Amino acid sequence: MSIQARRERERAERERAIIAAARELAESEGWEAVTTRRLAAEIEYSQPVLYSHFKGKDAIMAAVAVEGCADLAVDLAAARAAATDPRRAVAGIATAYAAFAERRPALYDAIFTLPVDLSFGTKETPVELARAFAELAQTLRPFAGDDDLETFTETFWSGLHGLVTLMRNGRLRRDEHERRLAILVDRFTRLG
Amino acid sequence: MSIQARRERERAERERAIIAAARELAESEGWEAVTTRRLAAEIEYSQPVLYSHFKGKDAIMAAVAVEGCADLAVDLAAARAAATDPRRAVAGIATAYAAFAERRPALYDAIFTLPVDLSFGTKETPVELARAFAELAQTLRPFAGDDDLETFTETFWSGLHGLVTLMRNGRLRRDEHERRLAILVDRFTRLG
DNA sequence: CCAGAACTCTAGCACCGCTAGCCAATCTGC
DNA sequence: GCAGATTGGCTAGCGGTGCTAGAGTTCTGG
């Protein structure tokens, strides 16, 4: 019985190790450096063990993405908590969002842009992402006006996401980044 | 002399054929189906011929992207021309933008999300994309207020881009799409 | 103690982007 | 008109990818 327990514990540890290795490799060298062979070498097991834990490489990336959601939620919550008034709260959370994307591009990509098998439109959203979204929604609540809060939040979020992704791909002038953020915040915090 | 001319003409035709094949394949089966082997088979030449026209697969994708920019510019111009008043013009161009992204996802990806070697932040922007951007800017001009028009346009554009990409990746509720577009337009067309 | 189950590994498949080097057709100068 | 240089396309292959079949080893329960 106890042996069984140890086995399961070791298995769980190994799964954590896989996710951690994937995340570290992606953050330090980008996702294109994350191959199943390198991952296997990193955890000091052979390739096929990866497939006894995850359905495929996509599933590993999805696991990393879910972890990343938790980090994002923490950052956003901190930004919201630090704000002194509603409008500054929106500015702060927007800055925090952009900073997260810039500081952890690989993680951000895993969550939002890579075609990973995470369909969190409406059904099985990972709870970590729901928390991040809720932080945004709470911050925006005073400015939603007549619009549905969730829809309003989705729209603002899309604005942030667009700014972040277009800039990273070199489609926007980098030096205007803060000005664009300010415009977005300004337009979404007008009352009436 | 004339032989030389024929040669160059045939070469140019072949280059067009490569781009067309890449585009069609991407639009019908997605970019993951566009491999150099399939492309070569499509144009009925061997693989290495592709590399005598383009530096690599990325360059082929970039060429498709540039073509796509022209299409996008046409759609946006038509939407702007069809509008009766400034506010409706913004709504119309936003709808046209979203429709383009939905109707031609592969093309849209090539232009905006795939890591293709098109650095059109500020320097060598393809003229086709500049046209599309200018359409947006002209439409938004009445609503920029004190903000720099280019920066303002970039921000609005990012909003559209975020809506489009997040929805396609299943990160947004599909049935709220039009409502989100309306919110974005509303927030960017308030005067004062 | 041993048969069977559970687990991990080696080896390999089919595919990818890309390129070296050969070979035939063409052009050039005599 | 013809030898030699040049061009242009081809075959074949390199080193990589995600993934898996099947062999071998270790552990477990009777």
Side-chain angles (χ1 to χ4, degrees):
Chain A
M1 192 54 106
S2 173
I3 282 182
Q4 194 89 6
R6 192 211 60 207
R7 283 256 172 108
E8 281 177 24
R9 200 177 54 233
E10 284 176 352
R11 212 184 134 72
E13 267 173 37
R14 199 170 56 181
E15 191 156 317
R16 285 266 319 133
I18 294 170
I19 298 175
R23 175 180 174 149
E24 283 163 28
L25 206 46
E27 289 195 324
S28 63
E29 302 185 37
W31 277 109
E32 70 279 357
V34 180
T35 72
T36 56
R37 275 165 242 266
R38 266 196 84 175
L39 231 40
E42 211 75 43
I43 63 167
E44 300 180 308
Y45 279 91
S46 70
Q47 250 180 313
V49 303
L50 300 176
Y51 294 87
S52 75
H53 287 272
F54 299 95
K55 194 184 150 209
K57 191 190 172 183
D58 277 9
I60 298 177
M61 293 166 65
V64 173
V66 168
E67 269 204 12
C69 287
D71 291 8
L72 177 59
V74 167
D75 282 15
L76 297 189
R80 184 161 81 94
T84 54
D85 67 88
R87 208 175 175 291
R88 263 192 269 267
V90 176
I93 209 167
T95 302
Y97 188 98
F100 179 88
E102 182 133 27
R103 205 171 60 250
R104 302 169 122 78
L107 218 46
Y108 190 87
D109 277 349
I111 303 175
F112 291 120
T113 71
L114 294 182
V116 125
D117 50 2
L118 272 185
S119 65
F120 46 90
T122 161
K123 49 176 220 175
E124 267 299 315
T125 307
V127 59
E128 291 88 347
L129 185 72
R131 276 226 335 269
F133 187 83
E135 292 293 335
L136 265 180
Q138 288 312 314
T139 309
L140 286 172
R141 184 184 293 280
F143 307 102
D146 294 336
D147 296 319
D148 173 67
L149 179 59
E150 186 170 356
T151 311
F152 183 70
T153 306
E154 285 179 338
T155 309
F156 181 72
W157 172 32
S158 297
L160 287 175
H161 177 70
L163 284 177
V164 154
T165 53
L166 285 178
M167 193 176 62
R168 187 138 49 80
N169 289 15
R171 265 72 166 179
L172 294 176
R173 299 166 297 161
R174 176 154 233 104
D175 54 353
E176 292 291 317
H177 175 56
E178 289 190 16
R179 197 123 35 178
R180 287 187 299 263
L181 264 182
I183 290 174
L184 183 71
V185 169
D186 173 55
R187 291 280 163 167
F188 276 82
T189 53
R190 294 190 183 185
L191 292 171
Chain B
M1 193 56 107
S2 172
I3 281 183
Q4 195 91 4
R6 192 211 61 207
R7 284 256 172 108
E8 282 175 23
R9 200 177 55 236
E10 286 176 351
R11 211 185 134 72
E13 267 173 36
R14 199 171 54 181
E15 191 155 318
R16 286 265 319 132
I18 293 171
I19 298 174
R23 177 181 173 148
E24 282 163 28
L25 206 47
E27 288 194 327
S28 64
E29 301 185 37
W31 278 109
E32 69 280 357
V34 182
T35 71
T36 56
R37 275 163 240 266
R38 265 197 85 173
L39 230 39
E42 210 75 43
I43 63 168
E44 298 179 312
Y45 280 91
S46 69
Q47 247 180 316
V49 175
L50 300 176
Y51 294 88
S52 76
H53 287 272
F54 300 95
K55 193 184 150 210
K57 191 191 172 183
D58 276 8
I60 299 177
M61 293 167 65
V64 173
V66 169
E67 271 203 13
C69 286
D71 291 8
L72 176 59
V74 167
D75 282 15
L76 297 188
R80 185 160 80 96
T84 53
D85 66 88
R87 208 176 176 290
R88 264 192 270 266
V90 176
I93 208 168
T95 301
Y97 188 98
F100 179 88
E102 181 133 29
R103 205 172 61 250
R104 301 170 122 80
L107 219 47
Y108 189 87
D109 277 350
I111 304 174
F112 291 120
T113 71
L114 294 183
V116 125
D117 52 0
L118 272 184
S119 66
F120 45 90
T122 161
K123 51 175 219 175
E124 266 298 316
T125 306
V127 59
E128 292 87 348
L129 186 71
R131 276 227 334 271
F133 187 84
E135 292 294 337
L136 265 180
Q138 287 312 313
T139 310
L140 286 173
R141 183 185 292 283
F143 307 102
D146 295 336
D147 297 319
D148 173 66
L149 179 59
E150 187 170 355
T151 311
F152 184 69
T153 306
E154 285 179 337
T155 309
F156 181 71
W157 171 32
S158 296
L160 287 175
H161 177 70
L163 284 177
V164 154
T165 52
L166 285 178
M167 193 175 63
R168 185 140 49 81
N169 289 16
R171 264 71 164 178
L172 295 177
R173 298 166 297 161
R174 177 155 233 104
D175 53 353
E176 292 291 319
H177 175 56
E178 289 190 15
R179 196 122 36 176
R180 285 187 299 263
L181 265 182
I183 290 174
L184 184 71
V185 169
D186 172 56
R187 291 279 161 167
F188 276 81
T189 53
R190 295 191 180 183
L191 293 171

